[in-house]
Amino acid sequence: MKEDTNISNYCKYDSMLLTLFTSSLYIAGLVASFFASSITSRFGRKPSILIGGATFLAGTALGAAAANIYMLIFGRVLLGVGVGFANQAVPLYLSEMAPATYRGAMANGFHLCVNLGILSANLINFGTEKIKGGSGWRISLAMGAVPASVLTIGSFFLSETPNSLIQRGVDSQKARLVLQRVRGTTDVQVELDDLIKASSASKTLNHHPFHLILQRKYRPQFIMSIAIPFFQQVTGINVIGFYAPLLFRTIGLGESASLLSAVLTGLVGTCSICITILTVDKIGRRALFIIGGILMFIPQITVGAIMAYKLGDHTELMTKGYSYSVLVLICVYVCGFAISWGPLAWLVPSEIFPLEIRSIGQSINVAVGLIFTFIIAQTFLAMLCHLKAGIFFFFGSWVFLMTGFVYFLLPETKNVPIEKMDKIWRQHWFWKRFVGEEESVDNQWNVPIPMSNGIWN
């Protein structure tokens, strides 16, 4: 069959069914994240991780065995429930278990594993595309059972976090034993006292956590729980994550080359996050956010210019030279995301919330992320069709804005114990008007001090 030359190069793959299948996972995850908040707060982080793993396992089994589109979509919904629970509980678990000086590196292990999963999925898709008989997609879906099984079985061997044990009124001696085991020392009394003090303060606030987070003194955390996941999604990364093969086919690469290019971008992202793990507790979160913003902004604007110049609606696709240039620029963009908004958008929210709003704060963070993931997933192919090359300028503009947001409004959190995190807001040139200034500044935790011009030293 001859290809319809009246269809724009940007609109060839605009399919509502494809986007509905992709985005159904995120609506399910959105709903599940709020149930996960109650379970995580009332029963602990460990049960939520177990539920997430088990539900994800069920979703992979149903999807791989699907006999019709309804089974396939329902399996995708179960995957979404698993994502909602895991994304709510795992970052909290890692941040609470990690010592302050290594919290960034350990918590970023979460995003490293996400990237390894994406890379593995791209490799599997590249391999199964060669399988004859049309059963390759079942193998791709079934392979999701491997990480789901690891998460489900592994959760049985986890210790509950000391923060959760104390918050739920479990004997503090058990919390002490957990602290001693994960810190590798018996000298944990100071940290234990801080946890007990934070828990006692949170229990004096007789309000639902959602009502608490809306109070003025929690305004910085509430704003960050919305702004950070929103900005993460409008970086445009899900354009690459969801539709990389289709995007690469749009610019002229063949099917196999497109899948292999998606593998390449996954490999770049995985390697780049290792840079973040090694540097996040040394140079800080803000520096990585700003460096990553620059590495994302320049490639997006350049790719948009190349596609506007070389890829018309009905003209021949770009030459191989330009196609591979776009591929290289997208790899630079992925590198920028992987050292900044990829891992740090999970790390920073998981460490800024005080105990009394930690669970609901993380749920808002996950829910906002999933809402905008759904919106991007559902609308990207239509946006590509209508905005054409301008879609890269659209996302590039957001990257410029969010980099400015970080520069002016996000304080540094490296090496600050979670129980002492309120200090960073009290010392910030803008947020101190909401939470109030401290009478004296105790900078023993190396909290950055704002200078008179509002810039942090």
Side-chain angles (χ1 to χ4, degrees), residues 3-8 313-314:
E3 189 176 326
D4 187 354
T5 57
N6 291 320
I7 300 178
S8 168
D313 272 356
H314 306 289

Side-chain angles (χ1 to χ4, degrees), residues 103-105 108 235 271-297 332-345 347-348 351 399 402-404 406-407 410-414:
R103 186 175 62 242
N108 280 339
T235 57
C271 293
S272 299
I273 186 120
C274 294
I275 298 174
T276 306
I277 290 175
L278 294 174
T279 59
V280 67
D281 291 312
K282 297 178 181 178
I283 69 174
R285 285 68 160 147
R286 294 180 76 251
L288 287 174
F289 268 127
I290 293 169
I291 293 170
I294 295 170
L295 290 178
M296 288 189 290
F297 176 74
V332 174
Y333 162 82
V334 169
C335 175
F337 179 83
I339 67 171
S340 59
W341 284 93
L344 301 184
L347 168 61
V348 173
E351 61 186 4
V399 170
M402 67 182 67
T403 304
V406 167
Y407 184 77
L410 183 67
E412 184 55 70
T413 57
K414 70 170 183 176

Side-chain angles (χ1 to χ4, degrees), residues 14-315:
D14 185 11
S15 166
M16 187 60 68
L17 182 61
L18 173 63
T19 54
L20 179 62
F21 173 75
T22 301
S23 56
S24 60
L25 182 151
Y26 303 100
I27 287 296
L30 166 64
V31 176
S33 65
F34 287 103
F35 288 99
S37 173
S38 298
I39 292 174
T40 302
S41 179
R42 188 170 302 178
F43 301 104
R45 286 55 167 151
K46 180 177 175 178
S48 287
I49 295 174
L50 174 61
I51 293 171
T55 310
F56 202 96
L57 188 61
T60 58
L62 187 61
N68 52 57
I69 188 64
Y70 302 106
M71 288 180 65
L72 199 61
I73 291 178
F74 186 63
R76 183 87 173 162
V77 168
L78 288 177
L79 293 178
V81 173
V83 167
F85 272 87
N87 284 358
Q88 207 278 341
V90 172
L92 285 185
Y93 186 92
L94 293 173
S95 288
E96 291 180 347
M97 281 298 212
T101 51
Y102 300 107
R103 186 175 62 242
M106 294 182 68
N108 280 339
F110 171 74
H111 195 70
L112 174 62
C113 291
V114 170
N115 272 269
L116 287 172
I118 293 171
L119 176 60
S120 299
N122 287 331
L123 285 168
I124 291 168
N125 290 339
F126 178 71
T128 56
E129 185 260 335
K130 311 280 186 191
I131 297 177
K132 296 181 180 180
S135 62
W137 64 271
R138 293 188 185 274
I139 297 174
S140 294
L141 292 177
M143 290 302 292
V146 176
S149 298
V150 172
L151 184 63
T152 305
I153 297 171
S155 65
F156 287 102
F157 299 94
L158 296 176
S159 299
E160 189 54 80
T161 70
N163 309 63
S164 178
L165 292 172
I166 293 173
Q167 181 188 24
R168 293 183 291 114
V170 179
D171 184 3
S172 61
Q173 183 60 30
K174 186 173 182 179
R176 180 195 298 275
L177 293 174
V178 174
L179 271 177
Q180 290 175 344
R181 186 161 61 249
V182 297
R183 300 292 183 258
T185 177
T186 57
D187 186 17
V188 296
Q189 188 60 47
V190 173
E191 184 175 1
L192 182 64
D193 289 343
D194 284 341
L195 292 175
I196 293 173
K197 182 180 178 181
S199 178
S200 298
S202 69
K203 290 177 181 178
T204 63
L205 304 171
N206 296 318
H207 299 283
H208 188 277
F210 187 75
H211 294 155
L212 282 177
I213 201 171
L214 294 178
Q215 293 181 4
R216 181 180 176 86
K217 66 178 180 178
Y218 299 123
R219 191 66 49 80
Q221 294 94 331
F222 180 63
I223 295 297
M224 293 300 168
S225 72
I226 296 174
I228 290 177
F230 167 74
F231 283 141
Q232 185 190 45
Q233 298 312 312
V234 294
T235 57
I237 189 60
N238 286 326
V239 172
I240 307 301
F242 298 156
Y243 304 112
L246 297 184
L247 178 62
F248 292 136
R249 290 185 70 181
T250 293
I251 63 176
L253 300 179
E255 184 170 355
S256 294
S258 297
L259 291 172
L260 187 58
S261 298
V263 171
L264 176 61
T265 57
L267 183 61
V268 169
T270 302
C271 293
S272 299
I273 186 120
C274 294
I275 298 174
T276 306
I277 290 175
L278 294 174
T279 59
V280 67
D281 291 312
K282 297 178 181 178
I283 69 174
R285 285 68 160 147
R286 294 180 76 251
L288 287 174
F289 268 127
I290 293 169
I291 293 170
I294 295 170
L295 290 178
M296 288 189 290
F297 176 74
I298 294 175
Q300 281 179 312
I301 299 302
T302 308
V303 168
I306 291 174
M307 291 183 69
Y309 178 63
K310 284 294 180 180
L311 184 63
D313 272 356
H314 306 289
T315 57

Side-chain angles (χ1 to χ4, degrees), residues 399-421:
V399 170
F400 181 82
L401 288 174
M402 67 182 67
T403 304
F405 175 88
V406 167
Y407 184 77
F408 290 107
L409 295 177
L410 183 67
E412 184 55 70
T413 57
K414 70 170 183 176
N415 299 332
V416 183
I418 290 180
E419 290 69 39
K420 304 289 185 180
M421 198 64 71

